[in-house]
């Protein structure tokens, strides 16, 4: 069985005041929304941490409907982050192919990721959560959180030559 998206219990608790579990109260409705915010921060800031299995849980085994259209973009950002982490570019064809094989599984109809690819994605989401915690206090209002989140993400994107 393929690996799933995983979120740390600590992250769920930290975000608990801003996640609204109904479709009618955007912008943060699902665990995947929170995961996505952490993932983007981890990728932009180049932060990874391995979520401890005893302090985290799988929450979904596929890209949820609201994020399906971004699946290829997200996977592309993961590939770019891993190439950068190893100081490689797509011009390093043999090494790039190896990274692609390590991360991508075209037969996985849910995520298109290998188990290693999912582990890496979960590590960037966990690292993004660590980074967010280091930059802001626990959020209580989604609007305030998103304003600060965008400021931090923009700074990290400006500092990351891959973005």
């Amino acid at each position: 069985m393929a690996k799933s998206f995983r979120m740390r219990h600590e992250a769920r608790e930290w975000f608990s005041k801003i996640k609204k579990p109904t479709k009618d109260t955007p912008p943060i409705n699902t665990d995947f929304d929170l995961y996505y915010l952490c993932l983007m921060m981890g990728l932009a800031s180049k932060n990874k941490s391995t979520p401890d299995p005893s302090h985290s849980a799988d929450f979904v085994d596929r890209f949820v409907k609201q994020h399906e259209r971004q699946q290829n973009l997200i996977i592309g950002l993961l590939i770019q982050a891993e190439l950068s982490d190893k100081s490689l570019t797509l011009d390093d064809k043999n090494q790039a192919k190896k990274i692609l094989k390590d991360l991508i599984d075209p037969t996985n109809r849910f995520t298109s990721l290998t188990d290693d690819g999912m582990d890496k994605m979960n590590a960037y989401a966990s690292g993004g959560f660590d980074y967010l915690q280091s930059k802001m206090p626990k959020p209580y209002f989604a609007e305030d959180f998103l304003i600060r989140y965008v400021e931090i993400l923009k700074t990290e994107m400006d500092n990351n030559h891959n973005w």
Side-chain angles (χ1 to χ4, degrees):
M1 178 181 232
K3 291 195 174 184
S4 296
F5 293 98
R6 177 169 280 275
M7 185 178 295
R8 290 169 33 194
H9 302 311
E10 178 185 12
R12 272 199 179 92
E13 196 286 317
W14 195 74
F15 285 116
S16 65
K17 300 294 183 190
I18 64 169
K19 180 183 156 209
K20 307 292 187 212
T22 66
K23 287 197 283 191
D24 299 327
T25 54
I28 303 170
N29 303 321
T30 68
D31 283 343
F32 201 93
D33 293 332
L34 300 174
Y35 181 91
Y36 177 81
L37 292 169
C38 291
L39 175 62
M40 291 299 107
M41 189 62 69
L43 291 168
S45 66
K46 302 179 184 179
N47 278 289
K48 294 190 269 189
S49 67
T50 303
D52 181 337
S54 67
H55 294 102
S56 60
D58 294 347
F59 66 93
V60 68
D61 65 353
R62 65 193 71 208
F63 284 87
V64 297
K65 186 173 176 80
Q66 299 91 322
H67 293 274
E68 279 178 344
R69 292 189 357 219
Q70 290 82 31
Q71 179 175 345
N72 291 336
L73 173 63
I74 293 168
I75 291 170
L77 291 171
L78 173 66
I79 292 166
Q80 185 60 47
E82 284 300 293
L83 287 169
S84 177
D85 187 53
K86 292 169 179 44
S87 300
L88 297 171
T89 67
L90 288 173
D91 294 329
D92 303 308
K93 295 205 184 310
N94 288 333
Q95 290 298 318
K97 281 182 186 177
K98 182 182 179 331
I99 299 254
L100 288 171
K101 281 185 173 181
D102 289 345
L103 299 176
I104 305 299
D105 176 3
T107 66
N108 180 336
R109 63 189 172 124
F110 298 125
T111 65
S112 299
L113 294 171
T114 64
D115 285 351
D116 187 49
M118 185 57 77
D119 286 343
K120 297 269 198 254
M121 191 168 286
N122 287 333
Y124 280 106
S126 181
F129 171 67
D130 291 335
Y131 194 73
L132 278 172
Q133 274 193 304
S134 76
K135 294 291 187 182
M136 67 170 64
K138 177 180 174 156
Y140 287 90
F141 301 99
E143 296 80 5
D144 295 336
F145 166 76
L146 289 171
I147 289 167
R148 181 69 181 122
Y149 176 88
V150 169
E151 290 170 354
I152 296 166
L153 185 64
K154 181 168 179 1
T155 298
E156 292 310 314
M157 290 170 63
D158 290 345
N159 292 331
N160 184 336
H161 71 276
N162 292 318
W163 288 57

